[in-house]
Amino acid sequence: MFSVGTIPGGTPQSPEPGAASASFPSLAPVSGRGEAEEEEDNEQEPAEIYLCALWTSGYLGIAYYDTSDSTIHFMPDAPDHESLKLLQRVLDEINPRSVVTSAKQDENMTRFLGKLASQEHREPKRPEIVFLPSVDFGLEISKQRLLAGNYSFIPDSMTTTEKILFLSSIIPFDCLLTVRALGGLLKFLGRRRIGVELEDYNVSVPILGFKKFVLTHLVSIDQDTYSVLQIFKSESHPSVYKVASGLKEGLSLFGILNRCHCKWGQKLLRLWFTRPTHDLGELNSRLDVIQFFLLPQNLDMAQMLHRLLGHIKNVPLILKRMKLSHTKVSDWQVLYKFLSEEKLHYRSARTKELDALLGDLHCDIRDQETLLMYQLQCQVLARAAVLTRVLDLASRLDVLLALASAARDYGYSRPRYSPQLLGVRILNGRHPLMELCARTFVPNSAECGRDKGRIKVITGPNSSGKSIYLKQVGLITFMALVGSFVPAEEAEIGAVDAIFTRIHSCESISLGLSTFMIDLNQVAKAVNNATKQSLVLIDEFGKGTNTVDGLALLAAVLRHWLALGPMCPHIFVATNFLSLVQLQLLPQGPLVQYLGLAKGFRAGSREIDDTLSPCISFKTMETCEDGDDLVFFYQVCEGIANASHASYTAAQAGLPGNLIARGKEVSDLIRSGKPIKPVKELLKEKQMENCQTLVDKFLKLDLEDPNLDLDIFMSQEVLPAATGIL
């Protein structure tokens, strides 16, 4: 059976003693089972892992094959330092038998693999290093190898197009290094014939599924979520001189929190953003430092430290130049700021006289300077490890000072972490980007888990703030998971292992997928990977197709999660499909929790029945009608909206009034089940235009022309236009 999931860290090998298997329940020993059978089981070969890794331009792509479940695991492209610390963590966690990579590699990767191969006493054992030709890792050939693979979970009846669409919902084809690593791994498996060494050559290596791999203590967040939540946002730089790399950070969470004064601090902050964690020790350590610098008595010290950190430059590059004896004067100035003590140096008549008497000592001075510089250079290189460690600590200090500065200016508060809490609790939270753009911002609270339901269905008029509310919940949770203060009065974050979103369609021409197919892929990732500790944000899913199909898909997805019971993820759904409740498409049951609407509620909501699942909570965005105007309060309240008020939004967008009126008329006819008839005035106006066009064509005819054929005019002009005139 095909399985697609997220590994929450740890080696995907045999479970610990007493732990239940992920596939089969734990069974007690069966009486009558002989010792010979038990010894035979104990003699089974242990699981083996074959890893393929590529590192290019500071990014790492990883894929590996696990023989215990015949599954390929992959980790989307992730930033990694030149020391390849992330790759080392992966190796320590999965302990591969073989490490496969390209024969054409960066010197940092070559040096790392050389050290790995020289570790004779590595536990449990030293991995085999396998180099394949670089052509085996080509992007296009890797894609073709993935699409041409023989997978037991894909029916043979699938066409090539269907196979592409199916695999695109599992494999991140936009992560180029990961795709190349997957292609190289498939090539290696085919050559070694792992698991089928004794079978016929036409028997391929069994691959029962693809799974995303996440290191222990890290939170899984895909690229779509980073984009829709505006955690990162690159914009083109207006300068005409920046053609190749003319990108700058736009309005994003990273942009407003990045107050680092040194380049390495900025890199570390980006690294923290790409690796959110639920390691409470690390998170609380970061928050303690931020809170320390937020104390009023430490303000001057924090500002002074932050200013001094701006003097830290590219120390690793300087050390590299020293090894090559290419050091510049500016490099030494970076390591040590020269001070003149306000003294002026000049040549006087006396200095010229001494120069003539003693001779030009310039050459001797240069020789002594060169010797001193060489000795100093050797001393610096001997302490390169210490300098690198100091740089790492300074970068960490720079990041924490930047986060403290942002928390002070924007009024953020310290979040709390509760491993026992499944979900999040946010009191008066704010969107960190929207509050900087809006003149006034209305805070909203959010809570899921405990007795507050697992699924929040949010309705409300268009432009009432539903999408902002979803993003706000996601961003506050993300900020807490990177160790930052958050824009809320209070925030309590439970055990969150992943954040999935379907808020905005990230279109890509290179993928060749429709907008609706991209939406389906995003939801499929959540359905296949989300656990009871995951946070899922879905906005207007199903709008890419007709109303009936979209409504059915949304209801099916929610019912699937509800059927999981206590294993259901924490889901926030914003929708205008009011029929979801009106037609009672969500499951009913005897154990029902009634979430009613307070009496005297403002316009824009209605009471709901008491036959809904206790796992579901209905909320709406509060509004009030003032004549023909619709006043938005941007406040989340319990209840269900009674209309989307699309006509009001259309008027605000500048659509003509007659079109809006016609739209409301058709909408009322559909709701009442009456037939829709064309507007008579518009029909008559169209008929007159057609008649006038035909008359104009007739008047242009030259009736005295002997070559004129009226039969042709009648058949090609008059008869086709008759249906639009009569």
Side-chain angles (χ1 to χ4, degrees):
M1 179 179 179
F2 171 52
S3 59
V4 181
T6 299
I7 307 172
T11 305
Q13 298 177 354
S14 302
E16 297 178 358
S21 172
S23 302
F24 301 96
S26 178
L27 301 177
V30 180
S31 59
R33 179 178 173 88
E35 295 182 0
E37 295 181 14
E38 294 181 0
E39 291 179 0
E40 183 180 351
D41 289 346
N42 293 332
E43 292 177 358
Q44 290 181 355
E45 294 184 1
E48 295 179 343
I49 293 178
Y50 300 89
L51 171 71
C52 182
L54 292 176
W55 186 86
T56 303
S57 302
Y59 278 83
L60 180 69
I62 282 178
Y64 68 86
Y65 179 77
D66 188 355
T67 59
S68 65
D69 56 3
S70 300
T71 302
I72 290 181
H73 307 262
F74 61 86
M75 186 173 72
D77 296 359
D80 196 7
H81 192 260
E82 292 180 352
S83 59
L84 297 169
K85 295 180 180 179
L86 179 61
L87 178 56
Q88 185 63 59
R89 285 189 59 185
V90 174
L91 293 174
D92 293 340
E93 194 157 305
I94 67 176
N95 292 317
R97 175 179 176 178
S98 302
V99 176
V100 184
T101 188
S102 173
K104 186 179 180 181
Q105 275 291 356
D106 183 271
E107 62 175 348
N108 296 291
M109 185 68 164
T110 304
R111 189 183 309 113
F112 177 86
L113 294 176
K115 292 181 180 179
L116 184 64
S118 63
Q119 296 176 359
E120 298 181 357
H121 303 289
R122 176 182 169 86
E123 295 293 338
K125 59 183 179 180
R126 180 176 55 183
E128 171 196 18
I129 310 298
V130 180
F131 292 96
L132 296 182
S134 59
V135 67
D136 290 336
F137 297 89
L139 181 59
E140 292 303 322
I141 196 172
S142 296
K143 289 182 179 179
Q144 294 300 324
R145 201 173 287 142
L146 282 169
L147 297 176
N150 184 17
Y151 311 120
S152 59
F153 53 85
I154 295 183
D156 296 334
S157 58
M158 266 195 181
T159 64
T160 303
T161 302
E162 292 172 342
K163 192 173 182 179
I164 293 174
L165 295 177
F166 182 80
L167 290 177
S168 66
S169 66
I170 307 170
I171 301 173
F173 283 96
D174 54 340
C175 296
L176 305 185
L177 276 178
T178 301
V179 173
R180 292 173 55 196
L182 285 168
L185 179 63
L186 291 177
K187 183 68 174 181
F188 170 79
L189 295 177
R191 284 186 177 181
R192 288 284 183 93
R193 298 185 54 75
I194 305 298
V196 292
E197 295 89 346
L198 303 180
E199 302 291 339
D200 293 337
Y201 196 76
N202 57 355
V203 178
S204 58
V205 177
I207 298 176
L208 302 184
F210 289 89
K211 291 184 180 180
K212 181 180 178 181
F213 170 71
V214 181
L215 284 169
T216 304
H217 299 312
L218 293 188
V219 178
S220 175
I221 299 181
D222 57 19
Q223 295 298 322
D224 291 338
T225 300
Y226 278 106
S227 176
V228 300
L229 295 183
Q230 284 185 251
I231 296 174
F232 297 112
K233 185 178 181 181
S234 298
E235 294 181 350
S236 299
H237 197 280
S239 174
V240 296
Y241 299 102
K242 293 188 176 182
V243 179
S245 60
L247 295 177
K248 64 182 183 67
E249 190 68 27
L251 180 61
S252 63
L253 182 64
F254 179 79
I256 65 172
L257 297 184
N258 181 19
R259 299 186 173 191
C260 300
H261 285 197
C262 73
K263 176 181 178 181
W264 296 100
Q266 297 176 9
K267 285 187 174 182
L268 182 60
L269 179 60
R270 183 176 292 272
L271 187 65
W272 284 8
F273 270 44
T274 56
R275 297 182 195 169
T277 178
H278 47 74
D279 183 350
L280 299 186
E282 173 64 19
L283 291 175
N284 283 311
S285 173
R286 298 175 186 177
L287 295 178
D288 289 341
V289 177
I290 295 174
Q291 189 168 2
F292 173 81
F293 286 121
L294 285 177
L295 296 176
Q297 61 268 30
N298 298 330
L299 177 59
D300 293 339
M301 177 182 62
Q303 292 177 344
M304 180 192 67
L305 285 174
H306 212 182
R307 184 174 62 255
L308 292 177
L309 288 171
H311 295 300
I312 298 179
K313 304 300 180 182
N314 196 341
V315 176
L317 179 60
I318 296 174
L319 296 177
K320 184 177 180 180
R321 287 176 179 170
M322 284 185 175
K323 293 179 181 179
L324 300 175
S325 298
H326 292 166
T327 314
K328 302 177 181 178
V329 175
S330 59
D331 296 334
W332 290 105
Q333 291 175 342
V334 168
L335 295 178
Y336 181 80
K337 193 174 180 182
F338 292 111
L339 300 177
S340 64
E341 298 180 356
E342 299 181 354
K343 294 181 180 179
L344 298 177
H345 304 273
Y346 60 94
R347 290 177 64 84
S348 62
R350 177 59 177 164
T351 60
K352 293 179 180 179
E353 180 182 349
L354 291 174
D355 188 25
L357 177 64
L358 300 176
D360 191 359
L361 301 178
H362 179 70
C363 294
D364 293 337
I365 293 174
R366 289 294 299 270
D367 292 341
Q368 291 297 321
E369 286 179 347
T370 302
L371 178 61
L372 291 174
M373 294 293 283
Y374 175 76
Q375 294 174 347
L376 180 60
Q377 178 175 295
C378 293
Q379 294 291 330
V380 172
L381 290 176
R383 294 165 175 78
V386 177
L387 288 174
T388 302
R389 177 59 178 163
V390 171
L391 178 63
D392 292 340
L393 294 175
S395 302
R396 183 181 179 88
L397 179 61
D398 192 20
V399 171
L400 295 173
L401 285 169
L403 295 178
S405 175
R408 182 185 303 109
D409 292 348
Y410 300 140
Y412 294 168
S413 63
R414 176 170 181 163
R416 300 194 309 273
Y417 305 103
S418 301
Q420 298 79 15
L421 173 65
L422 293 178
V424 297
R425 188 183 68 83
I426 301 171
L427 177 62
N428 291 332
R430 313 185 304 276
H431 192 292
L433 302 179
M434 183 56 65
E435 71 171 345
L436 301 180
C437 303
R439 288 181 296 178
T440 57
F441 187 87
V442 179
N444 279 294
S445 301
E447 185 172 2
C448 58
R450 293 176 179 168
D451 58 345
K452 300 299 181 180
R454 290 296 186 103
I455 297 182
K456 307 286 184 181
V457 180
I458 305 165
T459 60
N462 294 293
S463 303
S464 62
K466 300 189 298 295
S467 300
I468 293 297
Y469 178 73
L470 293 185
K471 295 179 181 179
Q472 170 182 310
V473 173
L475 284 171
I476 291 176
T477 304
F478 173 83
M479 292 175 69
L481 293 175
V482 298
S484 169
F485 278 35
V486 298
E489 288 186 14
E490 295 181 8
E492 185 178 5
I493 308 299
V496 178
D497 64 359
I499 301 177
F500 298 95
T501 59
R502 206 321 305 168
I503 298 178
H504 171 69
S505 300
C506 303
E507 300 180 6
S508 175
I509 298 176
S510 61
L511 295 178
L513 302 178
S514 66
T515 302
F516 183 54
M517 190 63 196
I518 295 176
D519 292 349
L520 290 174
N521 283 350
Q522 293 172 347
V523 173
K525 290 178 183 178
V527 171
N528 293 324
N529 299 316
T531 69
K532 66 177 181 179
Q533 298 179 347
S534 300
L535 180 64
V536 182
L537 310 174
I538 299 178
D539 185 20
E540 301 295 353
F541 174 62
K543 291 294 185 180
T545 183
N546 65 71
T547 304
V548 177
D549 291 344
L551 178 61
L553 282 172
L554 177 60
V557 169
L558 295 181
R559 291 176 69 95
H560 164 77
W561 274 318
L562 286 172
L564 300 177
M567 304 302 293
C568 176
H570 303 284
I571 304 166
F572 289 79
V573 181
T575 181
N576 280 324
F577 284 142
L578 304 182
S579 301
L580 188 69
V581 181
Q582 296 169 352
L583 300 179
Q584 297 186 359
L585 298 180
L586 298 178
Q588 303 176 8
L591 301 176
V592 176
Q593 178 185 10
Y594 175 65
L595 297 175
L597 180 65
K599 299 297 182 182
F601 196 73
R602 295 182 183 273
S605 58
R606 66 174 183 84
E607 293 189 3
I608 59 176
D609 61 25
D610 58 352
T611 60
L612 298 174
S613 170
C615 294
I616 305 177
S617 172
F618 290 92
K619 296 185 178 294
T620 185
M621 306 302 291
E622 189 175 3
T623 59
C624 180
E625 294 181 3
D626 183 12
D628 294 333
D629 292 332
L630 188 65
V631 180
F632 296 109
F633 294 132
Y634 304 105
Q635 188 71 48
V636 178
C637 302
E638 294 185 356
I640 301 176
N642 59 3
S644 65
H645 298 282
S647 59
Y648 174 81
T649 307
Q652 295 296 311
L655 286 180
N658 60 334
L659 295 182
I660 297 176
R662 176 57 177 169
K664 294 177 64 176
E665 180 183 351
V666 172
S667 179
D668 294 338
L669 291 173
I670 293 175
R671 287 194 180 95
S672 60
K674 297 179 181 179
I676 302 175
K677 298 180 180 179
V679 180
K680 295 182 179 180
E681 290 76 10
L682 293 177
L683 183 61
K684 291 181 179 179
E685 183 179 349
K686 187 65 177 178
Q687 288 176 338
M688 291 300 297
E689 290 180 0
N690 292 337
C691 288
Q692 186 62 46
T693 301
L694 187 60
V695 170
D696 292 341
K697 290 181 179 180
F698 180 77
L699 293 176
K700 292 180 180 179
L701 295 177
D702 185 1
L703 299 179
E704 296 181 356
D705 186 358
N707 297 324
L708 178 63
D709 191 342
L710 293 177
D711 292 336
I712 296 178
F713 179 78
M714 291 292 294
S715 61
Q716 295 182 355
E717 300 292 344
V718 178
L719 293 179
T723 56
I725 296 176
L726 300 178

